[in-house]
Amino acid sequence: MKITRKKKPTSAGKQSRRNDRDTRGNKKKKATQSAHHGKRILKKDALTRAILDTFQLNPRTIYNYKQIAKAIGVEAQVQKLQTAEILRSLADDDVLTETEPGRYRLNRIGESVTGIFRRRSNGRHAFIPDTPATNNADGDAPTPEPINVDDRNTAHALDGDRVRVQLFKRRRGEPEAEVMEVLERAPHTYVGRLEVSKNYAFLVTEDRTLSNDIFIPKAALQGGRTGDKAIVRIVEWPEHASNPTGEVVEVLGRAGDNDTEMHAILAEYGLPTRYPENVEKAARRIPREITAEDLVEREDFREVTTFTIDPKDAKDFDDALSIRRLTDGRWEVGVHIADVTHYVKPGSIIDKEAYERATSVYLVDRTIPMLPECLSNDLCSLRPDEEKLTFSVVFEMNEDADILASRIVRTVIRSDRRFTYDEAQEAIETGHGDFCEEINTLNRLAKKLRERRFAQGAIDFDRYEVKFEIDDKGRPLSVYFKESKDANKLIEEFMLIANRTVAESVGKRSDSRGAKKTFVYRIHEQPDAEKMETFATFVRRFGYKLKTDGSKNEITRSINRLLDDAKGRPEENLIETLAVRSMQKARYSTENIGHYGLAFAYYSHFTSPIRRYPDMMAHRLLVRYANGGRSVPKDACEEECDHCSQMEQLAANAERASIKYKQVEFMSDKIGQVFDGVISGVTEWGLYVELNDNKCEGLVPMRDLDDDFYDFDEANYALVGRRRHRTYRLGDPITITVEHANLERKQLDFRLA
């Protein structure tokens, strides 16, 4: 029995139909046909398109003008002659090749090329050629440009597959690719909702890389039922089948259940939901006792006042601060970090699992740790009144927070107190409470460090976090905003200065031959000039000025002044969001180019080895080099840096998806209610609106702007009405009604109120 299922309509497909309705009066894109003596007549543009479509559908076939005319259904003699003229013109443009007089085939502009295929559910597939081995004049390998792949030329390749393609030219000269062979399949699992019939089932997925539902034989259901969320692996996609065939890997549970939905988000991004049992067992076998041998060559801080300051719901305390008064108005401040690499050895199964994860993942209601919980929340966590092994950066400072001396040493500590940020903030604001004098001294020093950092050109991104109060079933009860106060900034400044000091300790030194040793840096490149100019143009609409040329300090001072001027204004969050988007993404690399946003010439990650693998890498390199070890191979280290950067981005995407899900869930009982907001995004398919009360974001679809036909003005972030010239711009205040909450797509639909 052959089962076929039409592609579900994608949002892009629906929008295309809306645009067709909304662009009445535009030049028609389809071929114009008329009856003339009973024969098919095509306008020249449509005739050219029909000819090109035929060649692209049959790229290996050679046609003369009569054969091509027959293929496209042209019978009138005048149009046959016009066909011959178009063929000669396309050959002159190198779109076609004249193999012999009067005979043509599609011009292939190169031999087969290999690379990575990128499938998209909206049909905008692309091929990314392998990076060429030759470098350009600057010594850098040029970044390959994506090449369009039409849906009919994909050979059912899936996202991430390594493929071999044949290139050919289109009418305007841009290359297009046809997949000839799938060389290597990428791992393909998809998350969705099962629809089970008597003899077969389908997985309905909202995956951005696949518009087709996945056919599942009944024998491959693993007990899944209609309405279950499941992970499905594609096992084949037969050449003439409309849908790929898959098998259920895991049934996650009933759609709508909180645990099911959070696990579905993790699975969507290829992130694990649990720890392998053999890794857990290995972690539990690690000895808990601190032996005399463990303390050899460690500095003893057990009698020095030490405490941790963390969020109230934190369980893994990987950093602590110590402080003691020295003579002549000097202070010794210790930044103590859990010595994870004392317990987790390179190449062990715990280490391999930690590397694969590369980071802990923080969803709305849970943490998926990088290390097993018996390490992250117990053995390595700097819990109060317990002796712990640490890796520390110890500073000697004066009252002006000038660093007079520093050292990087392995230590043993005993934390005296676990503070939440709120408790530490209360000590700062009231001047009362445990270790109040020590906290206020650290706060005073941190403020001077912070002031100096901004004077040197750091950018003041001081954004709030959206948080949810949730019940015991994971349902969101309310939304609140977590702001960074002095207690948060105190910790931040000492972590920053520790990370910078560690990076400088390796980066500023050379061996006897003048060579630098390989290290893991956290780098942040200068912003793209074009993006900054676009951002400056946008903020001018609100009456702000932004300098985009001059020295780095002049530009960053201008950015900070803009962010400060926008504080408390309706457009504050929008301007901060766009400012962040105009910046490059920070990443890990062995090539140190400094950190633009922090204004540090050297910066690394050292202070969170419980939750970030690059910090573990930094710890190991510091020990190796302190013991006189040779520099590690740079290429292998760079590969690890790339992996960690990619996993960090995946984790961030999953975190955002969980927030989006909870926002939609929170708004799902508010259908029909009216809210004030601000236009936070303008696209060809509608307006995104962020609500003032709770920062939930939804879409006003273009189809609902029915008082006019609107055109997308990309340069001015606006939709402009054709007849009445009404304009909706990014940043404009707007009032909406909540129309629909789609949990499956994590999408809110709004309507103008």
Side-chain angles (χ1 to χ4, degrees):
M1 176 177 61
K2 183 179 180 182
I3 305 295
T4 59
R5 181 167 169 128
K6 292 181 180 178
K7 292 183 182 180
K8 62 186 176 203
T10 64
S11 56
K14 292 176 182 175
Q15 186 57 41
S16 176
R17 292 194 290 275
R18 292 171 204 150
N19 288 345
D20 285 345
R21 295 198 302 269
D22 293 347
T23 55
R24 283 174 289 204
N26 274 2
K27 186 184 292 183
K28 295 270 195 296
K29 292 183 179 179
K30 293 185 177 180
T32 302
Q33 302 178 22
S34 65
H36 180 65
H37 300 296
K39 296 175 182 178
R40 189 174 186 232
I41 302 297
L42 299 178
K43 288 186 176 180
K44 186 173 181 179
D45 285 350
L47 185 60
T48 302
R49 183 67 262 169
I51 291 169
L52 281 172
D53 283 347
T54 301
F55 275 106
Q56 288 173 3
L57 279 169
N58 306 279
R60 299 180 186 83
T61 305
I62 297 173
Y63 296 94
N64 60 28
Y65 84 94
K66 291 181 180 179
Q67 291 167 327
I68 202 74
K70 183 178 181 180
I72 63 176
V74 166
E75 297 178 24
Q77 185 61 27
V78 64
Q79 290 240 293
K80 288 182 180 180
L81 295 175
Q82 197 173 23
T83 297
E85 178 188 332
I86 291 170
L87 290 173
R88 287 193 293 271
S89 175
L90 291 172
D92 289 341
D93 290 343
D94 284 335
V95 176
L96 301 179
T97 296
E98 192 170 13
T99 58
E100 55 185 279
R103 292 172 62 78
Y104 304 89
R105 67 168 170 78
L106 199 64
N107 179 20
R108 299 184 178 278
I109 59 176
E111 294 302 315
S112 61
V113 181
T114 59
I116 301 299
F117 178 74
R118 291 297 175 200
R119 176 176 283 275
R120 292 295 177 263
S121 59
N122 59 11
R124 296 175 182 172
H125 314 305
F127 168 73
I128 314 296
D130 290 335
T131 304
T134 54
N135 289 346
N136 59 24
D138 298 325
D140 299 321
T143 302
E145 289 290 328
I147 298 170
N148 179 64
V149 183
D150 193 272
D151 202 50
R152 63 187 173 228
N153 293 330
T154 65
H156 291 335
L158 296 169
D159 190 58
D161 283 354
R162 183 168 180 75
V163 298
R164 181 175 62 83
V165 305
Q166 190 78 49
L167 303 180
F168 53 86
K169 279 190 177 179
R170 301 185 68 184
R171 173 64 177 172
R172 295 178 183 175
E174 307 101 338
E176 188 168 314
E178 178 188 4
V179 177
M180 309 303 291
E181 181 184 3
V182 176
L183 302 173
E184 183 181 343
R185 287 285 189 190
H188 293 120
T189 58
Y190 297 87
V191 180
R193 182 174 41 81
L194 290 172
E195 289 184 1
V196 182
S197 300
K198 183 178 180 181
N199 298 313
Y200 58 88
F202 281 96
L203 183 83
V204 181
T205 175
E206 296 295 339
D207 193 282
R208 62 186 177 82
T209 71
L210 189 68
S211 61
N212 310 67
D213 297 332
I214 301 171
F215 171 74
I216 306 168
K218 198 71 176 284
L221 268 174
Q222 301 289 344
R225 300 171 296 160
T226 293
D228 282 346
K229 275 281 179 76
I231 304 172
V232 167
R233 177 192 299 115
I234 289 180
V235 293
E236 65 171 341
W237 195 340
E239 183 178 352
H240 299 295
S242 300
N243 304 85
T245 299
E247 61 184 10
V248 172
V249 175
E250 182 180 357
V251 177
L252 298 172
R254 300 300 289 173
D257 175 77
N258 183 67
D259 282 345
T260 298
E261 296 298 342
M262 293 300 106
H263 287 169
I265 288 171
L266 292 169
E268 179 183 346
Y269 290 97
L271 298 170
T273 59
R274 61 179 68 88
Y275 243 95
E277 182 57 33
N278 62 335
V279 180
E280 293 273 16
K281 285 181 179 178
R284 289 194 291 268
R285 285 197 297 267
I286 295 175
R288 299 180 55 81
E289 308 80 33
I290 296 177
T291 66
E293 185 180 356
D294 292 332
L295 300 180
V296 173
E297 298 183 355
R298 286 184 184 266
E299 287 195 31
D300 193 342
F301 277 76
R302 286 175 289 189
E303 301 303 320
V304 181
T305 299
T306 304
F307 43 78
T308 60
I309 306 177
D310 291 281
K312 63 181 179 182
D313 56 352
K315 296 177 181 177
D316 55 340
F317 314 134
D318 54 9
D319 58 78
L321 293 178
S322 70
I323 183 168
R324 61 180 163 189
R325 188 188 297 272
L326 303 176
T327 58
D328 303 326
R330 294 171 299 134
W331 296 94
E332 180 193 76
V333 177
V335 179
H336 305 286
I337 309 302
D339 195 354
V340 173
T341 57
H342 173 83
Y343 299 103
V344 181
K345 303 304 180 184
S348 66
I349 60 170
I350 302 173
D351 181 58
K352 289 176 181 177
E353 182 71 21
Y355 172 72
E356 287 300 319
R357 295 173 179 236
T359 180
S360 294
V361 183
Y362 297 89
L363 302 187
V364 166
D365 65 337
R366 69 195 64 202
T367 298
I368 295 84
M370 183 183 76
L371 296 169
E373 289 192 14
C374 62
L375 289 178
S376 60
N377 296 355
D378 185 3
L379 184 56
C380 295
S381 185
L382 308 184
R383 303 193 300 189
D385 301 319
E386 295 181 10
E387 292 185 358
K388 297 290 181 178
L389 302 180
T390 46
F391 210 156
S392 308
V393 186
V394 183
F395 299 99
E396 185 181 316
M397 294 180 165
N398 60 21
E399 284 287 351
D400 289 326
D402 296 316
I403 298 174
L404 308 176
S406 66
R407 63 188 188 274
I408 302 170
V409 288
R410 297 182 104 169
T411 53
V412 57
I413 69 165
R414 185 183 181 90
S415 174
D416 297 289
R417 172 79 145 81
R418 182 257 162 137
F419 286 94
T420 67
Y421 281 123
D422 290 339
E423 290 170 339
Q425 187 65 31
E426 185 178 356
I428 290 170
E429 291 175 358
T430 66
H432 299 293
D434 294 344
F435 304 107
C436 177
E437 182 182 351
E438 289 85 350
I439 289 175
N440 278 279
T441 299
L442 288 168
N443 186 51
R444 187 171 67 250
L445 295 171
K447 284 186 172 181
K448 292 180 179 178
L449 289 171
R450 184 176 176 84
E451 182 181 337
R452 192 174 303 144
R453 184 162 58 85
F454 289 133
Q456 292 169 350
I459 300 175
D460 186 11
F461 286 125
D462 191 14
R463 308 187 72 200
Y464 56 78
E465 293 180 69
V466 177
K467 295 285 187 179
F468 293 88
E469 179 191 355
I470 56 178
D471 64 16
D472 56 357
K473 293 185 178 179
R475 288 189 295 257
L477 303 175
S478 64
V479 180
Y480 64 95
F481 308 122
K482 180 182 173 185
E483 296 183 39
S484 184
K485 297 183 178 180
D486 283 345
N488 305 77
K489 294 172 183 177
L490 180 165
I491 293 295
E492 179 186 28
E493 286 308 315
F494 283 105
M495 298 306 118
L496 289 175
I497 202 68
N499 286 331
R500 188 186 78 176
T501 301
V502 162
E504 287 176 341
S505 73
V506 178
K508 283 188 172 182
R509 294 179 184 173
S510 304
D511 62 20
S512 57
R513 297 170 296 174
K516 301 283 188 182
K517 292 195 172 181
T518 300
F519 198 61
V520 179
Y521 297 98
R522 180 70 168 176
I523 63 171
H524 186 219
E525 294 156 300
Q526 292 191 17
D528 179 78
E530 187 176 340
K531 285 185 178 179
M532 286 297 292
E533 193 57 49
T534 302
F535 179 47
T537 302
F538 170 73
V539 299
R540 278 198 286 271
R541 288 186 45 247
F542 294 92
Y544 301 110
K545 293 181 180 179
L546 177 63
K547 190 176 180 64
T548 59
D549 55 9
S551 69
K552 176 187 180 299
N553 275 10
E554 289 174 325
I555 295 171
T556 53
R557 276 199 296 269
S558 179
I559 294 172
N560 286 336
R561 188 162 52 248
L562 165 67
L563 297 174
D564 192 53
D565 291 345
K567 271 188 168 48
R569 302 280 296 274
E571 64 272 14
E572 175 187 1
N573 192 47
L574 176 62
I575 285 177
E576 283 210 357
T577 299
L578 291 177
V580 170
R581 289 178 186 172
S582 70
M583 298 287 156
Q584 306 277 16
K585 283 186 171 65
R587 57 189 174 89
Y588 299 105
S589 179
T590 58
E591 294 287 347
N592 180 46
I593 60 169
H595 196 293
Y596 180 86
L598 296 173
F600 287 163
Y602 296 88
Y603 190 64
S604 183
H605 271 172
F606 166 83
T607 54
S608 294
I610 286 178
R611 62 185 181 91
R612 293 188 305 227
Y613 196 82
D615 301 56
M616 290 175 60
M617 292 167 64
H619 283 213
R620 287 171 177 157
L621 291 174
L622 287 169
V623 172
R624 178 188 180 101
Y625 297 154
N627 293 333
R630 298 174 64 181
S631 183
V632 299
K634 193 170 186 176
D635 289 348
C637 192
E638 184 66 26
E639 188 176 323
E640 292 177 342
C641 287
D642 287 344
H643 168 73
C644 292
S645 297
Q646 291 168 17
M647 294 305 295
E648 176 187 46
Q649 189 58 51
L650 271 182
N653 291 341
E655 290 161 22
R656 281 193 291 269
S658 77
I659 292 170
K660 188 69 177 175
Y661 184 88
K662 288 301 172 189
Q663 287 177 327
V664 175
E665 188 177 16
F666 176 69
M667 297 296 294
S668 61
D669 63 351
K670 297 170 179 59
I671 307 301
Q673 294 185 24
V674 177
F675 293 87
D676 291 325
V678 63
I679 295 176
S680 56
V682 182
T683 71
E684 59 191 8
W685 55 84
L687 302 170
Y688 285 96
V689 178
E690 182 184 82
L691 305 184
N692 296 337
D693 289 350
N694 51 41
K695 304 307 175 188
C696 295
E697 186 179 63
L699 175 71
V700 179
M702 183 77 85
R703 67 176 181 273
D704 289 343
L705 300 175
D706 51 11
D707 63 326
D708 203 343
F709 298 110
Y710 285 85
D711 292 316
F712 175 42
D713 181 354
E714 188 173 6
N716 293 300
Y717 303 97
L719 294 180
V720 182
R722 290 184 193 167
R723 295 197 304 269
R724 300 188 178 100
H725 305 293
R726 182 172 183 177
T727 302
Y728 295 98
R729 286 193 179 90
L730 193 67
D732 283 352
I734 196 168
T735 303
I736 60 88
T737 301
V738 181
E739 186 79 2
H740 186 61
N742 188 325
L743 282 167
E744 199 75 29
R745 293 186 180 179
K746 308 177 189 70
Q747 180 177 307
L748 290 170
D749 285 338
F750 297 155
R751 180 181 285 275
L752 296 184

